[in-house]
Amino acid sequence: MLWLLLPVLLLVYLLYRARRPKARPWAGVWLWQKGRESRFRPRLDLRLLLLLLAAALMVLALEDPPLGPSPMVYVVDASASMAAREGAKTRLDLAKERLLPLLERTPEAVLVRAGEQPKAFGPAPGIALRGRLLELEAKDREARLEEAIALGRRLLKAPVVVASDAPPPPGVEGYIGVGTPQENLGMVAVAPGFLALGNSATRPLTARVEVEGGVREVPVPPRGFARLENLPPTFAARLLNGGALDLDDQAAFGLKRLGVAYPKAPALERLFLLLGTAPGNEVRVGIGVPENLPDRPTLYLAPQGGSPVRVLATTPHPLLEGVALLGERLPPPPPPKGPWRPLAEGEGGVGLIFLVEKGLYLPPLESIQNRPFFPLLVYNFLKPYREVHSGLLSPGETLLPTPGESFLPKGKGGGGRFLALLAALVLLLEALLFRPRPKAQEA
């Protein structure tokens, strides 16, 4: 509506000038000379000024501007890609520069750091959160923006502004996109004797990787990945020409000796000695039916089982890599409680082996301790906890997200009524000051 301001003011001015009194001829030369002396002295036309002010206030009232700054939730992306260089600064530096003026004039605010685990500061006056904003660092493998937004909304019922190099999440009232397309090479995955690299550029790049004292070159396709194989089982690697992001230039892979706590049983002692474990509490082995979700890696062995049935179906899972279960006859264990799902099923869909995050539930030990699949299944269960990875190792961060177009929330109205009332008062003042005088009665 602001585009109406100039036409309305011009219209009021022209209508006012069209209704001004007509010039009357002067009666003599002396009057003409006196008029000539003062004709170019501008006089303040108070009535015109009041009419123009009232018209301007009415146009502004149609815009219904907010009466003042409103409470706000600010969510800042703290994932590793925000540490990518944009000239002499990082993407996070640019986000702080654009957020700081908004934060300082916000009467009540919540600041949320969006990383692998969102963290909130406030509610508090925006100026009190200035230090929290400036000390934020970008280093996480991901930014859980939806969780961060939900956390901010729980703490303060207010519009949400997200600062990120990723596209704006749905449902947010404001978004500040930072970052431009940058070329970056980085390490995105490691495994025994294996290394994967990613390329964020729109052209193919050649990665130069230093591994165990030697340098190897690997072509990486645009916006894609490449692998480096035939490496030592454990290794440390460094990328010599990484690009815009430094956090993904180093990675390593190793194996550790797990500490396992298990009941005294000859079969278990032989198994864990064969697997190279040591006494400890990192992994637990127990005999019993699971009643709760495990808080650490736990292998459960059923105390008893039913009549053996043949395994007819298995669920695709890394635990079954190299494991041949189909056709084996296993006794069904007592069903576990909670969200356990079957890994192997027998006739009639009866569950024979169950799994959950950090948990594996097997039939009784005496029924499986001499089966060939048993040590391999336990090895696959322990494998993720034996491996030690270091480095960023996040493909999405290495490829450097591309931001969307920025937008800010529209403030809640309320100023329109105030401006309309003020315009009415100005018109009332004009009417009182310039009301028509009554004509004198004729004699």
Side-chain angles (χ1 to χ4, degrees), residues 240-435:
L240 301 180
N241 59 333
L245 184 61
D246 296 334
L247 296 177
D248 56 4
D249 289 350
Q250 294 188 0
F253 177 83
L255 298 173
K256 68 177 180 179
R257 192 178 184 186
L258 275 178
V260 182
Y262 55 87
K264 295 296 182 181
L268 294 178
E269 291 180 1
R270 292 194 303 269
L271 173 63
F272 290 111
L273 182 63
L274 174 67
L275 296 179
T277 64
N281 294 315
E282 294 177 84
V283 179
R284 181 175 55 194
V285 180
I287 296 177
V289 182
E291 296 184 357
N292 300 307
L293 292 177
D295 57 354
R296 56 179 163 171
T298 304
L299 177 65
Y300 296 91
L301 296 165
Q304 72 274 340
S307 300
V309 297
R310 195 176 302 278
V311 178
L312 297 181
T314 58
T315 301
H317 195 276
L319 283 174
L320 298 182
E321 184 179 353
V323 179
L325 279 178
L326 293 177
E328 291 278 355
R329 296 183 63 84
L330 300 176
K337 300 178 181 179
W340 291 75
R341 58 186 187 277
L343 184 65
E345 296 178 304
E347 299 174 0
V350 61
L352 302 174
I353 297 176
F354 297 85
L355 80 155
V356 76
E357 186 179 0
K358 298 183 180 180
L360 180 64
Y361 180 39
L362 301 175
L365 177 62
E366 58 271 14
S367 66
I368 60 174
Q369 60 185 1
N370 296 321
R371 304 289 182 91
F373 69 83
F374 179 53
L376 185 55
L377 189 60
V378 176
Y379 172 82
N380 288 343
F381 177 70
L382 298 179
K383 182 180 176 181
Y385 309 108
R386 295 178 65 238
E387 298 178 348
V388 179
H389 311 82
S390 67
L392 179 60
L393 304 178
S394 176
E397 301 303 305
T398 291
L399 293 187
L400 299 183
T402 302
E405 186 176 353
S406 300
F407 57 91
L408 291 176
K410 295 182 178 179
K412 293 182 179 180
R417 295 180 180 179
F418 174 77
L419 293 174
L421 178 61
L422 188 59
L425 292 176
V426 172
L427 289 175
L428 179 60
L429 178 62
E430 184 271 339
L432 293 174
L433 292 178
F434 300 98
R435 64 179 183 271

Side-chain angles (χ1 to χ4, degrees), residues 3 18 68 81 83 108 145 173 190 215 228 241 251 256 261 293 312 318 322 339 360 364 374 400 407 413 436 442:
W3 62 271
S81 63
E108 186 179 19
L145 293 175
E173 291 80 6
V190 292
V215 177
L228 185 57
N241 59 333
K256 68 177 180 179
L293 292 177
L312 297 181
L360 180 64
F374 179 53
L400 299 183
F407 57 91
E442 296 182 358

